[in-house]
Every structure is written in structure tokens, then in C-alpha cells.
Amino acid sequence: MSTSTQHNNNSGTPESGPKPKAKRRRGSWAYAIGTATVLTTAWWAFAGGSKDESLNDTRFTAFDVVSNEPVSPTAFVLTIRSRDSELAKNSAKLKAAWEHGLWSVEFKQPQLQIARHYTPLPPLEGEDGTDGQLRFLVRKMQGGEMSNYLSRMHAGDQVWLRGPHHGFDIPKRLGDAREIVFLAGGTGIAPALQMVHKMLNAPVNGAQDSKPSIRILWANRRSVDCVARDEFRSKREENLRAQSVFLRQILEMKRRHGDQFNIDYYVDDERKFIGIKDIDAALRSASATKTTWTLQAANKICRWHSAELLAASMDEDDGHTSDAVCACPQGRAGRKIVCVSGPDGFIEAFAGSKRWTGGRELQGPVQGALGTIKQQGNETLDDSLVLKL
């Protein structure tokens, strides 16, 4: 999901006719002070105007750029770090975000005064995510104001963030189900890796076999963007220290989680696209390896498992209703999860577009390829929730 905010700070003060020299000087000072006031007010309106400089979901906070590492000819990993003066507060907020699971922040482009959502990559193995450092996978897009702006960042530069914005509560929506399938387009793999970090790093309910299986169908335009594909195919051991940070992260996850974490690669330039048969096979593969019980039918008024209520909600709503209890019948309650993340066109093709209603971007009905599977009466989507990220 991406959003933008724009503000116009143009102002002018017309003058008419000549004025005495002294008055003209006083007028110039008044004009300068007035202009400065307007610009300062506009800036603080955009930045939030608060003395608390730690992360906040209503205003922007300064972070320092640590590095900008190329991943492919068009993609890079941007690493940033909280300023020391706000590290303690930011660490607590980042810890809460990682404990929630799915979350994002907004970057600001100060020249154009626009903002875009970006999803942080999970901490590397051995990190706890509370050191104030964040990494982002960004693809430089032709004509993309924000991605081009971030691509020019270097160590020591300053960027501005707003957030964190918590997304879907995956553990509560999954419940007793154990299958997650993720359709990811390009940099849309970032929330998929967040899900792996949240759901597989620690046993659920204290039992190893209670962890879900997570299968990612990752689509890219070019083969050079398919990070770790050759390593997944060969299954060879790698010297992780010698690899790029993003490749190292994927290989660490695979080595740690084994068959519970898999990626299938699809490349436009190789004429290999995600099709209905691929989605069906991924759903069948996940179900065959994990679930040994039948899930209870979802109650249509259940906050977590009702497909009807999901269609009329936003992903950020989960964080506001975290205390809601499951209203499904007693027994094994939950839904298998199918997530779709990537550019708007990708989400629309596989799950249908989101719907704007009353100023809120709602999930809307399941359409696209997944909607076709539902219409065909294919049982692989039974007991599933489709989440548009």
C-alpha cells in the first residue's frame, strides 16, 4: 500500500505604487518575517510540530542513513539508524512493532512534500530489532519521486520517517490454522519476510510442530532481481559473511527454518508467470504438510476469521481491536492465510483492488485470479482469508 500527502506552500504579497524609503524598509522586514512565519508554520504542520522527536504516527522523525547497498541494477537496500538522542524511545516502539508482526513506516520527500509507505526488512539473525536500525528493500522506478530520492541517499544523509503503522494481526487471524501462502510482486516480498520473522522465529504455543508453513510465490520482471534463486536450487552452503545483506537474510531464514519456509520464483523476462495452477499447487502443498485437523466454520461476526468483515475493514484496523475475542464455535478456530503484496496492479490482478469508502481504503471483495479460484468452487481456498497488503 502506498499513500501520499501534498501541501502547497506558495505565498505572495502584491505591492501597489511607490512608498517612502523608510516605510519600504519596514515593509521588507515585515514581509520577510511574515514569509518566514508562513514557511515555518507550513513546515511544522507537515512535520508535526511536537517537541518529542521520537517515532510517531502523526509526524515525521529524523533518521540517519547508514548505507545504501545495491541488490540489482534497479534495487537497493537502504539502512538507516535512529539518532542517539531518541534511541531509547524509538527502540521501545520498534520492539512493539516487531512483536506485532506486519508493519510499515512512511518516508517523506521534503522537496516535493510527499510521503510513501515502505515495509522494513526483518532483523538479521542475532539481532533483536531494537538497536534503532532499519533496512528497506527499494526498487528505483522510472518517474518514481520517492524511490529516486531514496536512491540518492548516502551514509550520513538524513531521512524523515513517520510511524510505525501496524498492519494485520497474523497470529490472531491464523488461529489454529498452519498454512500461509504469499504472492509477492517485486519489493512486495518485504512483508512476506516480516511474516517469516514473526511466525517462524519462535515456536507457536511452545511446540515445534505448531509453527506454520510459509510458501512465497515471488514474481520479478528480471532474473537479476531473483535474490537467492540459485542458492535455493543448489541447496549449497554459502559463506554468508561474503554475501550482500539481503541475500544473507534470505539464506539465513532458509537455513534456520528449512521446509517451513520456501520461495518459488517467477520471472517476466523468462516468460514464467504466477498462474492459477501455481497458486492451487502452493495451497495444496501447504495443506498437505501441516494441517491434520478440520477447522471450525468461521462465524460471520468474528472479528478475526470472518471473510465478510475482512472485506469491510482496513489492515490497520487490527491494531485498534486487538482485545476482540474470537466468536467462532469452540474447537479448532482459524483461517489459512493467503497474502498478496506488491504494486497496485499486481494486487488487483491476483486479489482485486482495494475500495475507497468514506475516506477509508477497505479490503473489498476477493477478485482477480484468487476470485476466479473461489468462483470455480476449488476447495483449496476453503477455510482461507485473502489479505491485500
Side-chain angles (χ1 to χ4, degrees), residues 3 5-6 19 28 40 46 50 81 88 104 113 122 142 154 177 211 222 227 261 272 290 306 308 311 321 374 381:
T3 60
T5 56
Q6 302 186 27
K19 297 180 180 179
S28 298
T40 301
F46 191 65
S50 171
R81 189 180 186 276
S104 66
Q113 293 193 351
Q142 184 176 1
H154 300 286
K211 291 183 179 181
R222 300 184 299 172
V227 176
F261 166 55
K272 184 179 181 183
K290 296 304 298 182
S306 167
E308 292 82 2
T321 56
K374 280 181 169 290
L381 270 181

Side-chain angles (χ1 to χ4, degrees), residues 10-287:
N10 295 331
S11 62
T13 304
E15 296 188 89
S16 59
K19 297 180 180 179
K21 189 173 183 179
K23 289 186 177 180
R24 195 160 54 240
R25 185 180 296 113
R26 287 196 297 270
S28 298
W29 277 107
Y31 179 79
I33 294 172
T35 301
T37 301
V38 169
L39 293 176
T40 301
T41 301
W43 169 257
W44 282 105
F46 191 65
S50 171
K51 292 182 179 180
D52 183 359
E53 296 297 330
S54 64
L55 273 172
N56 188 284
D57 62 3
T58 59
R59 57 162 200 81
F60 289 88
T61 300
F63 274 64
D64 294 322
V65 174
V66 175
S67 64
N68 187 329
E69 180 185 17
V71 173
S72 74
T74 60
F76 57 95
V77 171
L78 184 70
T79 303
I80 64 175
R81 189 180 186 276
S82 169
R83 293 185 165 183
D84 290 340
S85 59
E86 302 299 330
L87 182 57
K89 292 181 180 180
N90 285 341
S91 293
K93 294 177 181 181
L94 295 178
K95 180 180 180 181
W98 288 122
E99 288 176 350
H100 176 79
L102 287 179
W103 64 285
S104 66
V105 295
E106 295 169 85
F107 276 90
K108 178 176 68 173
Q109 211 286 32
Q111 286 81 29
L112 298 177
Q113 293 193 351
I114 61 173
R116 297 285 187 270
H117 279 262
Y118 283 87
T119 300
L121 293 168
L124 293 170
E125 190 170 342
E127 299 176 346
D128 62 5
T130 63
D131 61 354
Q133 187 165 280
L134 295 171
R135 283 182 288 267
F136 300 86
L137 177 64
V138 183
R139 174 155 291 122
K140 184 178 178 181
M141 304 296 293
Q142 184 176 1
E145 296 93 346
M146 184 62 73
S147 63
N148 280 272
Y149 167 74
L150 294 178
S151 73
R152 297 190 294 269
M153 294 291 103
H154 300 286
D157 289 341
Q158 184 181 90
V159 292
W160 295 83
L161 268 63
R162 181 164 63 187
H165 303 294
H166 292 187
F168 286 114
D169 189 324
I170 297 301
K172 288 184 178 179
R173 289 192 173 275
L174 188 66
D176 289 314
R178 292 292 176 263
E179 301 84 33
I180 299 174
V181 173
F182 207 110
L183 311 183
T187 57
I189 194 173
L193 298 182
Q194 280 191 346
M195 195 178 301
V196 174
H197 173 75
K198 170 63 180 178
M199 301 304 299
L200 297 185
N201 272 6
V204 180
N205 298 329
Q208 181 69 22
D209 61 1
S210 65
K211 291 183 179 181
S213 64
I214 300 178
R215 191 170 204 95
I216 303 171
L217 279 59
W218 189 17
N220 284 287
R221 294 188 182 279
R222 300 184 299 172
S223 59
V224 293
D225 294 314
C226 297
V227 176
R229 179 171 66 166
D230 292 341
E231 289 78 6
F232 265 56
R233 286 173 172 174
S234 65
K235 298 182 180 181
R236 64 176 182 265
E237 290 293 326
E238 295 290 332
N239 179 8
L240 296 183
R241 292 182 180 273
Q243 306 299 337
S244 69
V245 65
F246 187 51
L247 173 58
R248 185 164 78 248
Q249 180 155 55
I250 293 179
L251 295 182
E252 282 179 353
M253 285 182 165
K254 181 61 178 176
R255 185 173 63 181
R256 182 172 184 177
H257 304 304
D259 290 339
Q260 288 177 301
F261 166 55
N262 286 285
I263 302 178
D264 299 324
Y265 293 83
Y266 299 83
V267 187
D268 290 3
D269 286 353
E270 298 175 4
R271 308 297 298 172
K272 184 179 181 183
F273 307 101
I274 300 175
I276 289 178
K277 290 184 178 180
D278 300 298
I279 300 172
D280 181 71
L283 291 167
R284 291 182 183 278
S285 175
S287 296

